[in-house]
Coordinates of all heavy atoms in Angstrom, one line a residue:
M1 N 14.2 -13.2 -11.6 CA 14.6 -12.0 -12.3 C 13.9 -10.8 -11.6 O 14.5 -9.8 -11.4 CB 14.3 -12.1 -13.7 CG 14.5 -10.8 -14.5 SD 16.2 -10.9 -15.1 CE 16.2 -9.4 -16.0
L2 N 12.7 -11.0 -11.2 CA 11.9 -9.9 -10.6 C 12.4 -9.6 -9.3 O 12.4 -8.4 -8.9 CB 10.4 -10.3 -10.6 CG 9.4 -9.2 -10.1 CD1 9.5 -8.0 -11.1 CD2 8.0 -9.7 -10.1
L3 N 12.8 -10.6 -8.5 CA 13.3 -10.3 -7.2 C 14.7 -9.6 -7.2 O 15.1 -9.0 -6.2 CB 13.4 -11.6 -6.4 CG 12.1 -12.2 -6.0 CD1 12.3 -13.5 -5.3 CD2 11.3 -11.3 -5.0
L4 N 15.4 -9.6 -8.3 CA 16.7 -9.0 -8.4 C 16.5 -7.5 -8.6 O 17.5 -6.7 -8.5 CB 17.5 -9.6 -9.5 CG 17.8 -11.1 -9.3 CD1 18.6 -11.6 -10.5 CD2 18.6 -11.3 -8.0
N5 N 15.3 -7.0 -9.0 CA 15.1 -5.6 -9.2 C 15.2 -4.8 -7.9 O 14.5 -5.2 -6.9 CB 13.7 -5.5 -9.8 CG 13.4 -4.0 -10.2 OD1 14.1 -3.1 -9.9 ND2 12.3 -3.9 -11.0
K6 N 16.0 -3.8 -7.9 CA 16.1 -3.0 -6.7 C 14.8 -2.3 -6.2 O 14.6 -2.2 -5.0 CB 17.2 -1.9 -6.9 CG 18.6 -2.5 -6.9 CD 19.7 -1.5 -7.1 CE 21.0 -2.1 -7.2 NZ 22.1 -1.1 -7.4
R7 N 14.0 -1.8 -7.2 CA 12.8 -1.2 -6.8 C 11.8 -2.2 -6.2 O 11.1 -1.8 -5.2 CB 12.1 -0.5 -8.0 CG 12.6 0.9 -8.3 CD 11.7 1.6 -9.3 NE 11.5 0.9 -10.5 CZ 11.7 1.3 -11.7 NH1 12.2 2.5 -11.9 NH2 11.4 0.6 -12.7
F8 N 11.8 -3.4 -6.7 CA 10.9 -4.4 -6.2 C 11.3 -4.7 -4.8 O 10.4 -4.9 -3.9 CB 10.9 -5.6 -7.1 CG 9.9 -6.7 -6.7 CD1 8.5 -6.5 -6.9 CD2 10.3 -7.8 -6.0 CE1 7.6 -7.4 -6.5 CE2 9.4 -8.8 -5.6 CZ 8.0 -8.5 -5.9
T9 N 12.6 -4.9 -4.5 CA 13.1 -5.1 -3.2 C 12.7 -4.0 -2.2 O 12.3 -4.2 -1.1 CB 14.6 -5.4 -3.2 OG1 14.9 -6.4 -4.1 CG2 15.1 -5.7 -1.8
G10 N 12.8 -2.8 -2.8 CA 12.5 -1.6 -2.0 C 11.0 -1.6 -1.6 O 10.6 -1.2 -0.5
I11 N 10.2 -2.0 -2.6 CA 8.7 -2.1 -2.3 C 8.5 -3.1 -1.2 O 7.7 -2.8 -0.2 CB 8.0 -2.5 -3.6 CG1 8.0 -1.3 -4.6 CG2 6.5 -2.9 -3.3 CD1 7.6 -1.7 -6.0
L12 N 9.1 -4.3 -1.2 CA 8.9 -5.3 -0.2 C 9.3 -4.8 1.2 O 8.6 -5.0 2.2 CB 9.6 -6.6 -0.6 CG 9.1 -7.4 -1.7 CD1 10.0 -8.6 -2.0 CD2 7.7 -7.9 -1.4
L13 N 10.5 -4.1 1.2 CA 11.0 -3.6 2.5 C 10.1 -2.5 3.0 O 9.9 -2.4 4.2 CB 12.4 -3.2 2.3 CG 13.5 -4.3 2.1 CD1 14.8 -3.7 1.8 CD2 13.5 -5.2 3.2
T14 N 9.6 -1.6 2.1 CA 8.8 -0.5 2.6 C 7.5 -1.1 3.1 O 7.0 -0.6 4.2 CB 8.5 0.4 1.4 OG1 9.7 0.9 0.9 CG2 7.6 1.6 1.8
V15 N 6.9 -2.0 2.4 CA 5.6 -2.6 2.9 C 5.8 -3.3 4.3 O 5.1 -3.1 5.2 CB 5.0 -3.6 1.9 CG1 3.9 -4.5 2.5 CG2 4.6 -2.9 0.7
A16 N 6.9 -4.0 4.4 CA 7.2 -4.7 5.7 C 7.4 -3.7 6.8 O 6.9 -3.8 7.9 CB 8.5 -5.5 5.6
F17 N 8.1 -2.6 6.5 CA 8.3 -1.5 7.5 C 7.0 -0.9 7.9 O 6.8 -0.7 9.1 CB 9.3 -0.5 7.0 CG 9.5 0.7 7.9 CD1 10.2 0.6 9.1 CD2 8.9 1.9 7.6 CE1 10.3 1.7 10.0 CE2 9.0 3.0 8.5 CZ 9.7 2.9 9.6
L18 N 6.2 -0.6 6.9 CA 4.9 0.1 7.2 C 4.0 -0.8 8.0 O 3.2 -0.3 8.9 CB 4.2 0.5 5.9 CG 4.9 1.7 5.2 CD1 4.2 1.9 3.8 CD2 4.8 2.9 6.1
L19 N 4.1 -2.1 7.8 CA 3.2 -3.1 8.6 C 3.8 -3.3 10.0 O 3.1 -3.7 10.9 CB 3.1 -4.4 7.8 CG 2.2 -4.4 6.6 CD1 2.3 -5.7 5.9 CD2 0.8 -3.9 6.9
L20 N 5.1 -3.0 10.2 CA 5.7 -3.1 11.5 C 5.2 -2.0 12.4 O 5.2 -2.1 13.6 CB 7.2 -3.1 11.4 CG 7.8 -4.5 11.1 CD1 9.3 -4.3 10.9 CD2 7.5 -5.5 12.2
L21 N 4.9 -0.8 11.8 CA 4.5 0.3 12.6 C 3.3 0.0 13.5 O 3.3 0.2 14.7 CB 4.3 1.5 11.8 CG 5.5 2.1 11.1 CD1 5.2 3.2 10.1 CD2 6.5 2.6 12.1
P22 N 2.2 -0.5 13.0 CA 1.0 -0.8 13.8 C 1.3 -2.0 14.8 O 0.8 -2.0 15.9 CB -0.1 -1.1 12.9 CG 0.5 -1.3 11.6 CD 1.8 -0.6 11.6
L23 N 2.1 -2.9 14.3 CA 2.5 -4.0 15.2 C 3.2 -3.6 16.4 O 2.9 -4.0 17.5 CB 3.3 -5.0 14.4 CG 3.7 -6.3 15.1 CD1 2.4 -7.1 15.4 CD2 4.6 -7.1 14.3
V24 N 4.2 -2.7 16.2 CA 4.9 -2.1 17.4 C 4.0 -1.3 18.2 O 4.0 -1.3 19.5 CB 6.2 -1.4 16.9 CG1 6.8 -0.6 18.0 CG2 7.1 -2.3 16.3
A25 N 3.2 -0.4 17.6 CA 2.3 0.4 18.3 C 1.3 -0.4 19.2 O 1.0 0.1 20.3 CB 1.5 1.3 17.4
M26 N 0.9 -1.6 18.7 CA 0.0 -2.4 19.5 C 0.6 -2.9 20.8 O -0.1 -3.2 21.8 CB -0.5 -3.6 18.7 CG -1.5 -3.3 17.6 SD -1.8 -4.6 16.5 CE -2.1 -6.0 17.5
Q27 N 1.9 -2.9 20.9 CA 2.6 -3.4 22.1 C 2.7 -2.3 23.2 O 2.8 -2.6 24.3 CB 4.1 -3.7 21.7 CG 4.2 -4.7 20.6 CD 3.4 -6.0 20.7 OE1 3.4 -6.6 21.7 NE2 2.6 -6.3 19.7
F28 N 2.4 -1.0 22.8 CA 2.6 0.1 23.7 C 1.3 0.8 24.0 O 1.3 1.6 25.0 CB 3.6 1.1 23.2 CG 5.0 0.5 23.1 CD1 5.5 0.2 21.8 CD2 5.8 0.3 24.2 CE1 6.8 -0.4 21.7 CE2 7.0 -0.3 24.1 CZ 7.5 -0.6 22.9
T29 N 0.2 0.6 23.3 CA -1.0 1.3 23.5 C -2.2 0.4 23.1 O -2.1 -0.5 22.3 CB -1.1 2.6 22.7 OG1 -2.3 3.3 23.0 CG2 -0.9 2.4 21.2
N30 N -3.3 0.7 23.8 CA -4.6 0.0 23.5 C -5.3 0.7 22.4 O -6.4 0.3 22.0 CB -5.4 -0.1 24.7 CG -4.8 -1.1 25.7 OD1 -4.1 -2.1 25.3 ND2 -5.0 -0.9 27.0
E31 N -4.8 1.9 21.9 CA -5.5 2.6 20.9 C -5.4 1.9 19.5 O -6.3 2.2 18.6 CB -4.9 4.0 20.8 CG -5.0 4.8 22.0 CD -6.4 5.2 22.3 OE1 -7.1 5.6 21.4 OE2 -6.8 5.2 23.5
V32 N -4.4 1.2 19.3 CA -4.2 0.5 18.0 C -4.6 -1.0 18.2 O -4.0 -1.7 19.0 CB -2.7 0.6 17.5 CG1 -2.6 -0.2 16.2 CG2 -2.3 2.0 17.4
K33 N -5.6 -1.4 17.5 CA -6.1 -2.8 17.7 C -6.3 -3.4 16.3 O -7.4 -3.4 15.8 CB -7.5 -2.8 18.4 CG -7.3 -2.3 19.8 CD -8.7 -2.3 20.5 CE -8.5 -1.6 21.9 NZ -9.8 -1.4 22.5
W34 N -5.3 -3.9 15.7 CA -5.4 -4.5 14.4 C -5.5 -6.0 14.6 O -4.8 -6.6 15.5 CB -4.1 -4.2 13.6 CG -4.1 -2.9 13.0 CD1 -4.6 -1.7 13.4 CD2 -3.5 -2.5 11.7 NE1 -4.4 -0.7 12.6 CE2 -3.7 -1.2 11.5 CE3 -2.8 -3.3 10.8 CZ2 -3.3 -0.5 10.4 CZ3 -2.3 -2.6 9.6 CH2 -2.6 -1.2 9.5
T35 N -6.3 -6.7 13.7 CA -6.4 -8.1 13.7 C -5.5 -8.6 12.6 O -5.0 -7.8 11.8 CB -7.8 -8.6 13.5 OG1 -8.3 -8.1 12.2 CG2 -8.7 -8.0 14.6
L36 N -5.5 -9.9 12.4 CA -4.7 -10.5 11.3 C -5.3 -10.1 10.0 O -4.5 -9.8 9.1 CB -4.7 -12.1 11.5 CG -4.0 -12.8 10.3 CD1 -2.5 -12.5 10.3 CD2 -4.2 -14.3 10.5
S37 N -6.6 -10.0 9.9 CA -7.2 -9.6 8.6 C -6.8 -8.2 8.3 O -6.7 -7.8 7.1 CB -8.7 -9.8 8.7 OG -9.3 -9.0 9.7
D38 N -6.7 -7.3 9.3 CA -6.3 -5.9 9.0 C -4.9 -5.9 8.4 O -4.6 -5.1 7.5 CB -6.3 -5.1 10.3 CG -7.6 -4.9 10.9 OD1 -8.6 -4.8 10.1 OD2 -7.8 -4.8 12.1
F39 N -4.0 -6.7 9.0 CA -2.6 -6.8 8.4 C -2.6 -7.3 7.0 O -1.9 -6.9 6.2 CB -1.7 -7.6 9.3 CG -1.3 -6.9 10.6 CD1 -1.9 -7.1 11.8 CD2 -0.2 -5.9 10.5 CE1 -1.5 -6.4 12.9 CE2 0.2 -5.3 11.6 CZ -0.4 -5.5 12.9
V40 N -3.4 -8.3 6.8 CA -3.5 -8.9 5.4 C -4.0 -7.9 4.4 O -3.4 -7.7 3.3 CB -4.4 -10.2 5.4 CG1 -4.6 -10.7 4.0 CG2 -3.7 -11.3 6.3
V41 N -5.1 -7.2 4.8 CA -5.7 -6.3 3.8 C -4.7 -5.1 3.6 O -4.5 -4.7 2.5 CB -7.0 -5.7 4.4 CG1 -7.5 -4.5 3.6 CG2 -8.1 -6.8 4.4
A42 N -4.1 -4.6 4.6 CA -3.1 -3.5 4.5 C -1.9 -4.0 3.7 O -1.5 -3.2 2.8 CB -2.6 -3.1 5.9
G43 N -1.5 -5.2 3.9 CA -0.3 -5.7 3.1 C -0.7 -5.9 1.6 O 0.1 -5.5 0.7
V44 N -1.9 -6.4 1.3 CA -2.3 -6.5 -0.1 C -2.5 -5.1 -0.7 O -2.0 -4.9 -1.9 CB -3.7 -7.3 -0.1 CG1 -4.3 -7.2 -1.5 CG2 -3.4 -8.8 0.3
L45 N -3.1 -4.2 0.0 CA -3.2 -2.8 -0.6 C -1.9 -2.2 -0.8 O -1.6 -1.6 -1.9 CB -4.0 -1.9 0.4 CG -5.5 -2.1 0.4 CD1 -6.1 -1.3 1.5 CD2 -6.1 -1.6 -1.0
L46 N -1.0 -2.3 0.1 CA 0.3 -1.6 0.0 C 1.2 -2.3 -1.1 O 1.8 -1.6 -1.9 CB 1.1 -1.6 1.3 CG 0.5 -0.7 2.4 CD1 1.2 -0.9 3.7 CD2 0.6 0.8 2.0
F47 N 1.2 -3.6 -1.0 CA 2.1 -4.3 -2.0 C 1.4 -4.2 -3.4 O 2.2 -4.0 -4.4 CB 2.2 -5.8 -1.6 CG 3.0 -6.6 -2.6 CD1 4.4 -6.4 -2.7 CD2 2.4 -7.5 -3.5 CE1 5.1 -7.1 -3.6 CE2 3.1 -8.1 -4.5 CZ 4.5 -8.0 -4.5
G48 N 0.1 -4.3 -3.5 CA -0.5 -4.2 -4.8 C -0.3 -2.9 -5.4 O 0.0 -2.8 -6.6
T49 N -0.4 -1.8 -4.6 CA -0.2 -0.5 -5.2 C 1.3 -0.3 -5.6 O 1.6 0.2 -6.6 CB -0.5 0.6 -4.1 OG1 -1.9 0.4 -3.7 CG2 -0.3 2.0 -4.6
G50 N 2.2 -0.8 -4.7 CA 3.6 -0.7 -5.1 C 4.0 -1.5 -6.3 O 4.7 -1.0 -7.2
F51 N 3.3 -2.6 -6.5 CA 3.6 -3.5 -7.7 C 3.0 -2.8 -8.9 O 3.7 -2.8 -10.0 CB 3.0 -4.9 -7.5 CG 3.2 -5.8 -8.6 CD1 4.5 -6.3 -8.8 CD2 2.3 -6.2 -9.5 CE1 4.8 -7.2 -9.8 CE2 2.5 -7.1 -10.5 CZ 3.8 -7.6 -10.7
M52 N 1.8 -2.2 -8.8 CA 1.2 -1.5 -10.0 C 2.1 -0.3 -10.3 O 2.3 0.0 -11.5 CB -0.2 -1.1 -9.7 CG -1.1 -2.3 -9.7 SD -2.9 -1.9 -9.6 CE -3.0 -1.4 -7.9
V53 N 2.6 0.4 -9.3 CA 3.5 1.6 -9.6 C 4.7 1.1 -10.3 O 5.2 1.7 -11.3 CB 3.8 2.4 -8.3 CG1 5.0 3.3 -8.6 CG2 2.6 3.1 -7.8
E54 N 5.3 0.0 -9.9 CA 6.5 -0.6 -10.5 C 6.2 -1.0 -12.0 O 7.0 -0.7 -12.9 CB 6.9 -1.9 -9.8 CG 8.0 -2.7 -10.5 CD 9.3 -2.0 -10.6 OE1 9.5 -1.0 -9.9 OE2 10.1 -2.5 -11.4
L55 N 5.0 -1.5 -12.2 CA 4.6 -1.9 -13.6 C 4.5 -0.6 -14.5 O 4.9 -0.6 -15.6 CB 3.3 -2.6 -13.7 CG 3.3 -4.1 -13.2 CD1 1.9 -4.7 -13.2 CD2 4.3 -4.9 -14.0
V56 N 3.9 0.5 -13.9 CA 3.8 1.7 -14.6 C 5.2 2.2 -15.0 O 5.5 2.7 -16.1 CB 3.0 2.8 -13.8 CG1 3.2 4.1 -14.4 CG2 1.5 2.4 -13.8
L57 N 6.1 2.2 -14.0 CA 7.4 2.8 -14.2 C 8.2 1.9 -15.2 O 9.1 2.5 -15.9 CB 8.2 2.8 -12.9 CG 7.7 3.8 -11.8 CD1 8.5 3.7 -10.5 CD2 7.7 5.2 -12.4
R58 N 8.0 0.7 -15.3 CA 8.6 -0.2 -16.3 C 8.1 0.0 -17.7 O 8.9 -0.1 -18.6 CB 8.5 -1.7 -15.9 CG 9.4 -2.1 -14.8 CD 9.2 -3.6 -14.6 NE 10.1 -4.1 -13.6 CZ 10.5 -5.3 -13.4 NH1 10.2 -6.2 -14.4 NH2 11.3 -5.6 -12.4
N59 N 6.8 0.1 -17.8 CA 6.2 0.0 -19.1 C 5.7 1.3 -19.7 O 5.5 1.3 -21.0 CB 4.9 -1.0 -19.0 CG 5.4 -2.3 -18.6 OD1 6.4 -2.8 -19.1 ND2 4.6 -3.0 -17.8
V60 N 5.6 2.3 -19.0 CA 5.1 3.6 -19.5 C 6.3 4.5 -19.7 O 7.0 4.8 -18.7 CB 4.0 4.3 -18.6 CG1 3.6 5.6 -19.2 CG2 2.8 3.3 -18.5
H61 N 6.6 5.0 -20.9 CA 7.8 5.8 -21.1 C 7.5 7.3 -21.2 O 8.5 8.0 -21.1 CB 8.4 5.3 -22.4 CG 8.8 3.8 -22.3 ND1 9.8 3.3 -21.5 CD2 8.2 2.7 -23.0 CE1 9.8 2.0 -21.6 NE2 8.9 1.6 -22.5
R62 N 6.3 7.7 -21.4 CA 6.0 9.1 -21.4 C 5.9 9.6 -20.0 O 5.1 9.1 -19.2 CB 4.7 9.4 -22.2 CG 4.9 9.1 -23.7 CD 3.6 9.4 -24.5 NE 2.7 10.3 -23.9 CZ 1.4 10.2 -24.0 NH1 0.9 9.3 -24.8 NH2 0.6 11.1 -23.5
I63 N 6.7 10.6 -19.6 CA 6.8 11.1 -18.3 C 5.5 11.6 -17.7 O 5.1 11.3 -16.6 CB 7.9 12.2 -18.1 CG1 9.3 11.6 -18.5 CG2 7.9 12.8 -16.8 CD1 9.8 10.5 -17.6
G64 N 4.8 12.4 -18.5 CA 3.5 13.0 -18.1 C 2.5 11.9 -17.7 O 1.8 11.9 -16.7
L65 N 2.4 10.9 -18.6 CA 1.5 9.8 -18.4 C 1.9 9.0 -17.2 O 1.1 8.5 -16.4 CB 1.4 8.9 -19.6 CG 0.4 7.7 -19.6 CD1 -1.0 8.2 -19.3 CD2 0.5 6.9 -20.9
R66 N 3.2 8.8 -17.0 CA 3.7 8.0 -15.9 C 3.4 8.7 -14.6 O 2.9 8.0 -13.6 CB 5.3 8.0 -16.0 CG 6.0 6.9 -15.4 CD 7.4 7.1 -15.5 NE 8.0 6.1 -16.5 CZ 9.3 5.9 -16.5 NH1 10.2 6.5 -15.7 NH2 9.8 5.0 -17.3
I67 N 3.5 10.0 -14.5 CA 3.2 10.8 -13.3 C 1.7 10.7 -13.0 O 1.2 10.4 -11.9 CB 3.6 12.2 -13.4 CG1 5.2 12.3 -13.4 CG2 3.1 13.1 -12.3 CD1 5.8 13.6 -13.7
A68 N 0.9 10.9 -14.1 CA -0.6 10.8 -13.9 C -1.1 9.5 -13.4 O -1.9 9.4 -12.5 CB -1.3 11.2 -15.2
L69 N -0.5 8.4 -13.9 CA -0.9 7.1 -13.5 C -0.5 6.8 -12.1 O -1.2 6.2 -11.3 CB -0.3 6.0 -14.4 CG -1.0 5.9 -15.8 CD1 -0.2 5.0 -16.7 CD2 -2.4 5.5 -15.7
C70 N 0.7 7.2 -11.7 CA 1.2 7.0 -10.3 C 0.4 7.8 -9.3 O 0.0 7.3 -8.3 CB 2.7 7.3 -10.2 SG 3.7 6.1 -11.0
V71 N 0.1 9.0 -9.7 CA -0.8 9.9 -8.8 C -2.2 9.2 -8.6 O -2.7 9.2 -7.6 CB -0.8 11.3 -9.3 CG1 -1.9 12.1 -8.6 CG2 0.5 12.0 -9.1
T72 N -2.7 8.7 -9.7 CA -4.0 8.1 -9.7 C -4.0 6.8 -8.8 O -4.9 6.6 -8.0 CB -4.5 7.7 -11.1 OG1 -4.5 8.8 -11.9 CG2 -5.8 7.0 -11.1
L73 N -2.9 6.0 -8.9 CA -2.8 4.8 -8.1 C -2.7 5.2 -6.6 O -3.3 4.6 -5.7 CB -1.6 4.0 -8.5 CG -1.7 3.2 -9.8 CD1 -0.4 2.7 -10.3 CD2 -2.8 2.1 -9.7
L74 N -1.9 6.2 -6.3 CA -1.7 6.6 -4.9 C -2.9 7.3 -4.3 O -3.2 7.1 -3.1 CB -0.5 7.5 -4.8 CG 0.9 6.9 -5.1 CD1 2.0 7.9 -5.1 CD2 1.2 5.7 -4.1
T75 N -3.7 8.0 -5.2 CA -4.9 8.6 -4.7 C -5.9 7.5 -4.4 O -6.7 7.5 -3.4 CB -5.5 9.5 -5.8 OG1 -4.5 10.6 -6.0 CG2 -6.8 10.2 -5.3
A76 N -6.0 6.5 -5.3 CA -6.9 5.3 -5.0 C -6.5 4.6 -3.8 O -7.4 4.3 -3.0 CB -6.9 4.4 -6.2
L77 N -5.3 4.4 -3.5 CA -4.8 3.8 -2.2 C -5.3 4.6 -1.1 O -5.8 4.1 -0.1 CB -3.3 3.6 -2.2 CG -2.7 3.2 -0.9 CD1 -3.1 1.8 -0.5 CD2 -1.2 3.3 -0.9
A78 N -5.1 5.9 -1.1 CA -5.5 6.8 0.0 C -6.9 6.8 0.2 O -7.4 6.7 1.4 CB -5.0 8.2 -0.3
L79 N -7.8 6.8 -0.8 CA -9.2 6.8 -0.7 C -9.7 5.4 -0.1 O -10.6 5.4 0.8 CB -9.9 7.1 -2.0 CG -9.8 8.5 -2.5 CD1 -10.3 8.6 -3.9 CD2 -10.5 9.4 -1.6
I80 N -9.1 4.3 -0.6 CA -9.5 3.0 -0.1 C -9.1 2.9 1.4 O -9.9 2.4 2.2 CB -9.0 1.9 -1.0 CG1 -9.6 1.9 -2.3 CG2 -9.1 0.5 -0.3 CD1 -8.9 1.0 -3.4
W81 N -7.9 3.3 1.7 CA -7.4 3.2 3.1 C -8.3 4.0 4.0 O -8.6 3.6 5.1 CB -6.0 3.7 3.1 CG -5.2 3.3 4.4 CD1 -5.4 3.9 5.6 CD2 -4.3 2.3 4.5 NE1 -4.6 3.3 6.5 CE2 -3.9 2.3 5.9 CE3 -3.7 1.3 3.7 CZ2 -2.9 1.4 6.4 CZ3 -2.8 0.5 4.2 CH2 -2.4 0.5 5.5
T82 N -8.6 5.2 3.6 CA -9.5 6.1 4.4 C -10.8 5.5 4.6 O -11.4 5.5 5.7 CB -9.6 7.5 3.8 OG1 -8.3 8.0 3.6 CG2 -10.4 8.4 4.6
E83 N -11.4 4.9 3.6 CA -12.7 4.3 3.7 C -12.7 3.1 4.6 O -13.6 3.0 5.4 CB -13.2 3.9 2.3 CG -14.6 3.3 2.3 CD -15.7 4.1 2.8 OE1 -15.6 5.4 2.9 OE2 -16.8 3.6 3.1
L84 N -11.7 2.3 4.5 CA -11.6 1.2 5.4 C -11.3 1.6 6.8 O -11.8 0.9 7.8 CB -10.5 0.2 4.9 CG -10.8 -0.5 3.6 CD1 -9.5 -1.3 3.2 CD2 -11.9 -1.5 3.8
A85 N -10.6 2.7 7.0 CA -10.2 3.1 8.4 C -11.4 3.7 9.1 O -11.7 3.4 10.3 CB -9.0 4.1 8.3
V86 N -12.1 4.7 8.5 CA -13.1 5.4 9.2 C -14.4 5.5 8.5 O -15.4 6.1 9.0 CB -12.6 6.9 9.4 CG1 -11.4 6.9 10.4 CG2 -12.3 7.6 8.2
G87 N -14.5 4.9 7.3 CA -15.8 4.9 6.6 C -16.3 6.3 6.2 O -17.5 6.6 6.4
I88 N -15.4 7.1 5.7 CA -15.7 8.5 5.4 C -16.8 8.6 4.4 O -17.6 9.6 4.4 CB -14.5 9.2 5.0 CG1 -14.7 10.7 5.1 CG2 -14.0 8.8 3.6 CD1 -13.4 11.5 5.1
F89 N -17.0 7.6 3.4 CA -18.0 7.7 2.4 C -19.2 6.9 2.8 O -20.2 7.0 2.1 CB -17.4 7.2 1.1 CG -16.2 8.0 0.6 CD1 -15.0 7.4 0.5 CD2 -16.2 9.4 0.3 CE1 -13.8 8.1 0.2 CE2 -15.1 10.1 0.0 CZ -13.9 9.4 -0.1
G90 N -19.2 6.1 3.8 CA -20.3 5.4 4.2 C -20.7 4.2 3.3 O -21.9 3.9 3.3
T91 N -19.8 3.7 2.6 CA -20.1 2.6 1.7 C -20.1 1.2 2.5 O -19.5 1.1 3.5 CB -19.1 2.5 0.6 OG1 -17.8 2.1 1.1 CG2 -19.0 3.8 -0.2
P92 N -20.8 0.2 1.9 CA -20.8 -1.1 2.5 C -19.4 -1.7 2.6 O -19.0 -2.6 3.3 CB -21.7 -1.9 1.7 CG -22.5 -1.0 0.9 CD -21.7 0.3 0.8
F93 N -18.5 -1.2 1.7 CA -17.1 -1.6 1.6 C -16.4 -1.5 2.9 O -15.5 -2.3 3.3 CB -16.4 -0.7 0.5 CG -15.0 -1.1 0.2 CD1 -14.7 -2.4 -0.3 CD2 -14.0 -0.2 0.3 CE1 -13.4 -2.8 -0.6 CE2 -12.7 -0.5 -0.1 CZ -12.4 -1.8 -0.5
A94 N -16.8 -0.5 3.7 CA -16.1 -0.2 5.0 C -16.9 -0.9 6.2 O -16.5 -0.8 7.3 CB -16.0 1.3 5.3
G95 N -18.0 -1.6 5.8 CA -18.7 -2.3 6.9 C -19.8 -1.5 7.5 O -20.4 -1.8 8.5
N96 N -20.2 -0.4 6.8 CA -21.3 0.4 7.3 C -22.6 -0.1 6.8 O -22.8 -0.6 5.7 CB -21.2 1.9 6.8 CG -20.0 2.6 7.6 OD1 -19.7 2.2 8.7 ND2 -19.4 3.6 7.0

């Protein structure tokens, strides 16, 4: 039943497309050097965020709360992604 949902299918396709971008870039430049673990972490982050947004959209009916929760989820994704990419906050989470 869950796989028949158009939004869920859209999430899967979007995550796959976003993960293809660094994979293709690695073929043309040495500037992008992702390992298997980078792809796994990125996939978990992207899919997890997409899935949580899907849950919010399904279960929260008040528009204001829906927007606030989705913005919070996307902000958390951006902060975690930034920390993992460049260690902007200097936490051990990024390997500093």
Side-chain angles (χ1 to χ4, degrees):
M1 177 87 178
L2 189 60
L3 289 175
L4 299 177
N5 184 349
K6 288 181 183 179
R7 273 195 309 236
F8 186 76
T9 304
I11 291 167
L12 287 175
L13 291 174
T14 301
V15 170
F17 174 75
L18 289 174
L19 290 175
L20 278 175
L21 293 175
L23 184 65
V24 170
M26 286 172 45
Q27 308 308 311
F28 297 105
T29 181
N30 290 328
E31 299 292 319
V32 181
K33 297 177 185 172
W34 281 33
T35 63
L36 178 61
S37 63
D38 294 326
F39 283 100
V40 170
V41 169
V44 168
L45 280 172
L46 291 170
F47 179 73
T49 302
F51 185 69
M52 287 189 285
V53 167
E54 171 67 15
L55 288 177
V56 167
L57 293 177
R58 281 184 183 206
N59 297 321
V60 177
H61 301 292
R62 291 182 22 215
I63 298 298
L65 183 58
R66 210 185 246 197
I67 292 170
L69 288 171
C70 288
V71 167
T72 301
L73 288 169
L74 294 174
T75 301
L77 171 67
L79 289 173
I80 292 170
W81 195 284
T82 304
E83 178 62 15
L84 289 173
V86 294
I88 197 165
F89 303 115
T91 64
F93 186 57
N96 289 336

